[in-house]
């Protein structure tokens, strides 16, 4: 019998720092206008190291696997605001609570670049058991390290005979 170790070592490291500060800005008749300021920093690194047999292509269908690695960092600044328009003492028939909320975030990613994103929402509580919500937003998503440095898999599998060649 001949045997060989096959597989890979895959590591994905992330360092994350997040700080938030929340406060009430002022009071409206329906309640406190609340805000949260945040800063987040992330460092991410991924390494894919195939075993020697995989790198040489002596396993499976003979495709050589190549070690790959990558990293990036992200800095984000954001602010969130909640504005109570109607609620508590100002509630009325058909509107127990009406709130406006918004978020702005500036994202700077070392691979994907920088972008400003936002979110604007409205929450309307008609009665205690029925609430309607609406949201509009603009977002973007940077690729993950798995998407950037994961190995490409190539296969040489057979799918069988062509069913159109059958004489049935």
């Amino acid at each position: 019998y001949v045997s060989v170790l096959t597989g890979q070592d895959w590591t994905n490291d992330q360092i994350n720092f997040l700080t938030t500060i929340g406060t009430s800005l002022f009071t409206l008749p329906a309640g406190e206008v609340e805000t949260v300021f945040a800063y987040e920093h992330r460092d991410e690194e991924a390494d894919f190291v195939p075993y020697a047999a995989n790198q040489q292509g002596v396993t499976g269908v003979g495709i050589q696997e190549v070690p790959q690695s990558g990293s990036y960092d992200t800095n984000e600044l954001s602010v969130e605001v909640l504005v109570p328009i109607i609620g508590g003492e100002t509630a009325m028939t058909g509107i127990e609570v009406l709130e406006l909320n918004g978020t702005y975030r500036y994202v700077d990613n070392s691979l994907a670049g920088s972008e400003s994103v936002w979110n604007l929402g409205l929450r309307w509580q008609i009665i205690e058991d029925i609430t309607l919500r609406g949201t509009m937003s603009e977002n973007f998503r940077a690729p993950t390290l798995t998407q950037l440095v994961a190995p490409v898999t190539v296969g040489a599998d057979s799918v069988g005979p062509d069913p159109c060649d059958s004489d049935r």
Side-chain angles (χ1 to χ4, degrees):
Y1 293 96
V2 177
S3 66
V4 64
L5 288 177
T6 63
Q8 66 271 339
D9 287 326
W10 177 264
T11 59
N12 191 359
D13 295 321
Q14 182 183 65
I15 297 172
N16 192 51
F17 171 78
L18 171 66
T19 183
T20 60
I21 298 172
T23 188
S24 295
L25 296 177
F26 51 88
T27 304
L28 294 175
E32 299 282 326
V33 174
E34 299 175 359
T35 188
V36 175
F37 299 94
Y39 169 74
E40 183 173 13
H41 175 82
R42 287 187 313 277
D43 285 318
E44 300 197 40
E45 181 179 332
D47 292 303
F48 169 76
V49 182
Y51 290 176
N54 296 74
Q55 289 185 38
Q56 295 167 7
V58 298
T59 63
V61 293
I63 304 296
Q64 293 179 332
E65 296 179 16
V66 179
Q68 298 184 59
S69 64
S71 65
Y72 66 83
D73 63 81
T74 303
N75 290 292
E76 298 183 7
L77 293 168
S78 66
V79 61
E80 299 179 25
V81 178
L82 175 65
V83 180
I85 299 169
I86 298 174
E89 299 290 321
T90 63
M92 59 183 71
T93 303
I95 308 176
E96 286 200 19
V97 175
L98 187 63
E99 295 176 337
L100 179 67
N101 62 72
T103 303
Y104 171 80
R105 181 177 305 262
Y106 175 76
V107 180
D108 184 18
N109 180 281
S110 62
L111 292 179
S114 59
E115 192 73 41
S116 293
V117 298
W118 56 269
N119 179 35
L120 185 62
L122 186 70
R123 181 174 84 97
W124 171 23
Q125 184 176 354
I126 300 169
I127 60 174
E128 185 177 345
D129 295 330
I130 298 176
T131 300
L132 300 175
R133 296 175 192 261
T135 303
M136 290 186 342
S137 65
E138 181 175 297
N139 293 294
F140 94 109
R141 186 182 72 79
T144 67
L145 284 172
T146 304
Q147 293 168 328
L148 293 173
V149 302
V152 175
T153 304
V154 177
D157 294 335
S158 172
V159 294
D162 186 342
C164 295
D165 289 343
S166 175
D167 47 328
R168 288 188 217 187

